[in-house]
Amino acid sequence: MVGHNEADRHLREVLTHLVPLVDDIVYTDDASTDDTPDIFEEFGAHVYRNDTQLFTVDEGALRRGAWKNLENHIELGDWVLAIDCDEKLWATTPGKSLRELLKVQHYDVLAIKFYHMWNETHYRVDKAWRPVESSRLFRYFYGGQFQDRKLACGSEPTYVRTLIQRGRFLQNTGLIMQHLGYVRDEDKRAKYDRYMAIDGGDFHAKAHLESILDPNPELVEWK
């Protein structure tokens, strides 16, 4: 996990949900000025702190540093869940817990369907906000690299794409990710302003960034 100034958002809710699902949390703090790293320590995470914020200038460097920190706590073949401070993972297939799913022998990447919550009770389904399968759960292998990009370099190392191309990707797992980052209107505005300032369409489609502020998005109730 990486993050910056998450203390007053969804962090405690996310960590309370996450701790029973995982063996360890390895967190890289991107120069927070609030209590974010202290909250992670309270929940038993391994915490690493950057002296200066990297995300707004070089996300690739942030991801590479976080991966090096992870490597202090992991062994070959372990499972990695790349999750943000405003996301919650759920296993929805009856009788199939997360730990049961991780017993698979012939796959190295498990699909997680990703939902963007747009308020407390509904998620968004129009434009590029519709639920899609992600590859945020994967085995650890040596030599993980990240794209050398200022922004939008992905949460997973580049070898995950290679594993998918080789057929090591298990779909229809029943795993779903609930993204809470756009639940509050003030967060929508803040994300829009931040991405327009540091991206403006260079790394994400400008129309996609502008759609954050759509007045009438298509929503479906979360169940």
Side-chain angles (χ1 to χ4, degrees):
M1 301 178 76
V2 299
H4 171 80
N5 285 359
E6 298 285 347
D8 295 328
R9 299 181 66 242
H10 306 279
L11 185 57
R12 287 187 179 276
E13 175 187 354
V14 164
L15 291 177
T16 298
H17 182 84
L18 180 63
V19 165
L21 300 178
V22 299
D23 299 307
D24 273 310
I25 298 172
V26 182
Y27 171 66
T28 299
D29 186 78
D30 197 28
S32 289
T33 57
D34 64 5
D35 296 332
T36 297
D38 300 323
I39 294 172
F40 270 94
E41 289 180 343
E42 177 186 329
F43 278 84
H46 306 284
V47 176
Y48 295 82
R49 306 184 188 217
N50 293 339
D51 294 329
T52 58
Q53 190 178 7
L54 286 175
F55 181 80
T56 55
V57 295
D58 189 346
E59 185 189 355
L62 172 62
R63 298 290 181 184
R64 290 191 292 274
W67 189 258
K68 288 182 179 179
N69 296 335
L70 172 68
E71 290 182 320
N72 294 322
H73 306 278
I74 199 165
E75 296 180 0
L76 182 67
D78 283 351
W79 287 97
V80 180
L81 173 65
I83 186 170
D84 286 344
C85 298
D86 54 9
E87 296 172 350
K88 297 168 72 175
L89 179 70
W90 304 85
T92 64
T93 301
K96 285 280 189 178
S97 67
L98 175 60
R99 292 188 184 275
E100 286 295 318
L101 287 166
L102 296 183
K103 292 178 181 179
V104 295
Q105 298 296 316
H106 303 294
Y107 298 95
D108 297 314
V109 186
L110 300 188
I112 302 175
K113 200 163 188 179
F114 200 89
Y115 292 77
H116 294 281
M117 299 298 296
W118 222 248
N119 57 43
E120 293 286 351
T121 57
H122 290 72
Y123 60 91
R124 190 165 176 178
V125 296
D126 64 315
K127 299 181 178 178
W129 302 101
R130 64 189 181 279
V132 295
E133 286 193 335
S134 71
S135 52
R136 300 273 208 91
L137 184 56
F138 51 89
R139 292 189 197 272
Y140 171 74
F141 292 106
Y142 300 131
Q145 301 292 326
F146 288 80
Q147 297 181 62
D148 188 15
R149 290 164 59 97
K150 175 183 175 182
L151 202 61
C153 60
S155 302
E156 312 96 320
T158 52
Y159 72 69
V160 171
R161 178 56 50 190
T162 301
L163 292 171
I164 293 172
Q165 292 170 346
R166 292 177 178 174
R168 307 292 293 180
F169 185 41
L170 179 61
Q171 298 175 290
N172 302 317
T173 62
L175 295 173
I176 59 178
M177 189 84 83
Q178 188 182 29
H179 178 216
L180 308 175
Y182 293 96
V183 165
R184 304 186 303 191
D185 289 342
E186 58 266 34
D187 287 340
K188 295 182 185 70
R189 184 79 232 188
K191 282 179 174 287
Y192 171 82
D193 291 341
R194 182 169 70 251
Y195 276 109
M196 290 302 288
I198 66 177
D199 183 333
D202 291 337
F203 300 94
H204 298 86
K206 190 172 183 180
H208 176 60
L209 299 179
E210 291 173 341
S211 71
I212 294 172
L213 300 182
D214 282 352
N216 297 298
E218 186 177 351
L219 306 180
V220 172
E221 185 178 5
W222 171 268
K223 296 182 180 180

